[in-house]
Amino acid sequence: MPVPCSAKCGKNATLKRPKTGDALCKECFFWAFEMEVHNTIVNAKLFQRGNKVAIAASGGKDSTVLAYVLKLLNERYDYGLDLFLLSVDEGITGYRDDSLQTVKQNKIDYEMPLKILSYEELYGWTMDAIVAQVGRKNNCTFCGVFRRQALDRGAALLGVDCVVTGHNADDIAETVLMNVLRGDIARLQRCTSIITAGADSIMRCKPLKYTYEKEIVMYAYFKRLVYFSTECIFAPNAYRGHARMFLKDLEKIRPSSIMDIIHSGERLSVRDGIKMPERRNCTRCGFVSSQEICKACVLLEGLNRGLPRLGIGKSNKAKLLLAATTEDRGKKKTVDF
Ligand code: SF4
């Protein structure tokens, strides 16, 4: 027996919205999905007319849907944005080389200029080479630190006002859970903020902050968007994997769990008395850091010295080594550890 669309458009429903349980036809689902992203952008005042905005594009479902919807909303509501695609090539054979082909297709389909920065050109290392040296245990630490800085560098090269990322509601709820389970309440503010400042004060925004992953997949499927869905060959991420499974179990019982966890994270993060790290510029590369020498420089120094574990965790040895080599650079003195 056909069910009428709950938006009362007169058509029959063809799907059940994962976030609300509403029975909708495809067109009303598209409209609801796009309106939610539009409302998120407007309520959080993410952009100003004339802004240049780089979309961090990996070729995956989130950034592909983000690029498609931003282009559509920019035209429908006349935001007046100049949109770019910004990609990072980590140098992962059989993964990123394939997904970058999807981004190149997005560039043609969405008529947006594309800038690709590679770890190899920025740091002299590919992730393939890093994994060969460090193994598969801490590889994502290197990759995450280098990617954050690579996006900042790309944004500075493009001269954009803001970088938007495809972080969705599930990603944020998972990160809240992980931070709570680790007792790292200080990070809740950053992980739940819809706007965070990047290096050189270039903003980072998450327009899909309240968008469920299942709805992103559904939207991409029904819109027939081209995206790359293979997981990274170096993805261990065991801890996040547990948080993800836990969240999926909760979502099955109560779909609002995802939003509830995000809201809890937002409320917990406004507690007084939590000391946030100070922002300053790395004395080596000049990019924004909470330390005298940024994490990317510490990790790079370890790789270049054949000491890949330098900088993993909170090692005093790394601080001492970096401080000593920075101080003594002009004095040609060797420091042994
Ligand atoms: Fe990089 Fe790890 Fe993500 Fe692979 S899974 S792209 S190595 S952060």
Side-chain angles (χ1 to χ4, degrees):
M1 169 98 176
V3 177
C5 174
S6 341
K8 300 190 175 24
C9 67
K11 291 191 198 137
N12 285 331
T14 49
L15 56 90
K16 188 174 162 192
R17 259 196 92 176
K19 189 172 184 178
T20 58
D22 292 340
L24 294 175
C25 69
K26 257 200 289 186
E27 286 67 28
C28 289
F29 167 66
F30 293 153
W31 185 258
F33 183 97
E34 291 152 8
M35 278 310 287
E36 271 191 16
V37 180
H38 172 63
N39 289 337
T40 303
I41 290 170
V42 172
N43 293 340
K45 299 186 176 62
L46 296 190
F47 311 122
Q48 287 178 4
R49 194 169 185 76
N51 274 173
K52 289 172 86 176
V53 176
I55 300 162
S58 66
K61 62 181 185 330
D62 302 309
S63 60
T64 301
V65 167
L66 180 60
Y68 178 89
V69 172
L70 264 191
K71 179 180 166 64
L72 183 143
L73 296 176
N74 193 30
E75 288 165 6
R76 182 186 291 165
Y77 297 105
D78 193 21
Y79 291 164
L81 303 178
D82 217 354
L83 299 173
F84 299 80
L85 295 169
L86 173 59
S87 290
V88 176
D89 179 359
E90 297 93 342
I92 303 174
T93 311
Y95 169 65
R96 187 56 81 216
D97 41 359
D98 291 341
S99 68
L100 282 175
Q101 293 310 316
T102 313
V103 180
K104 287 175 188 164
Q105 188 59 46
N106 292 162
K107 172 193 168 192
I108 299 165
D109 295 345
Y110 307 150
E111 298 168 323
M112 290 178 197
L114 165 66
K115 174 88 194 151
I116 303 176
L117 285 175
S118 74
Y119 284 2
E120 190 159 31
E121 65 181 290
L122 291 177
Y123 308 111
W125 287 83
T126 61
M127 273 311 292
D128 287 341
I130 293 172
V131 171
Q133 183 167 143
V134 308
R136 291 197 177 205
K137 197 157 170 241
N138 295 306
N139 54 305
C140 293
T141 303
F142 286 84
C143 195
V145 170
F146 288 166
R147 187 186 302 107
R148 269 192 296 283
Q149 199 186 77
L151 282 176
D152 286 333
R153 286 174 184 255
L157 281 174
L158 288 170
V160 296
D161 303 287
C162 170
V163 177
V164 290
T165 59
H167 290 101
N168 61 44
D170 299 49
D171 297 329
I172 295 165
E174 276 163 32
T175 310
V176 169
L177 280 176
M178 285 164 64
N179 286 329
V180 169
L181 293 172
R182 285 187 187 125
D184 201 347
I185 300 299
R187 278 182 200 252
L188 286 177
Q189 186 167 10
R190 192 172 169 83
C191 82
T192 53
S193 294
I194 190 160
I195 299 176
T196 49
D200 292 339
S201 297
I202 297 171
M203 285 195 324
R204 292 275 183 93
C205 306
K206 303 175 191 123
L208 302 182
K209 178 182 174 186
Y210 300 116
T211 309
Y212 278 28
E213 185 176 57
K214 280 185 182 167
E215 299 207 347
I216 290 173
V217 174
M218 210 176 234
Y219 187 87
Y221 175 78
F222 286 123
K223 286 275 183 184
R224 298 178 193 276
L225 302 184
V226 178
Y227 68 88
F228 185 79
S229 54
T230 307
E231 203 180 0
C232 171
I233 52 169
F234 299 140
N237 243 335
Y239 200 58
R240 181 172 285 274
H242 288 303
R244 180 166 301 171
M245 280 172 62
F246 178 53
L247 191 68
K248 293 278 174 233
D249 287 345
L250 290 177
E251 188 191 3
K252 271 184 225 151
I253 306 164
R254 208 166 65 115
S256 69
S257 300
I258 295 175
M259 291 299 288
D260 295 340
I261 290 170
I262 296 175
H263 289 143
S264 301
E266 288 169 339
R267 288 199 184 104
L268 279 168
S269 70
V270 295
R271 275 185 6 178
D272 288 335
I274 295 175
K275 197 170 172 284
M276 297 304 291
E278 252 176 61
R279 288 165 66 81
R280 49 177 135 168
N281 291 89
C282 169
T283 52
R284 281 206 164 181
C285 69
F287 269 78
V288 166
S289 168
S290 56
Q291 304 291 323
E292 193 182 339
I293 297 169
C294 74
K295 190 83 171 166
C297 283
V298 176
L299 292 172
L300 201 54
E301 184 77 21
L303 287 170
N304 291 334
R305 283 173 168 263
L307 298 167
R309 295 195 60 75
L310 192 80
I312 304 282
K314 291 175 183 164
S315 156
N316 285 332
K317 187 174 165 179
K319 280 186 199 155
L320 284 170
L321 178 83
L322 267 289
T325 50
T326 303
E327 255 176 39
D328 294 342
R329 268 187 170 181
K331 298 181 197 163
K332 295 201 170 130
K333 213 157 91 188
T334 315
V335 183
D336 294 321
F337 281 83

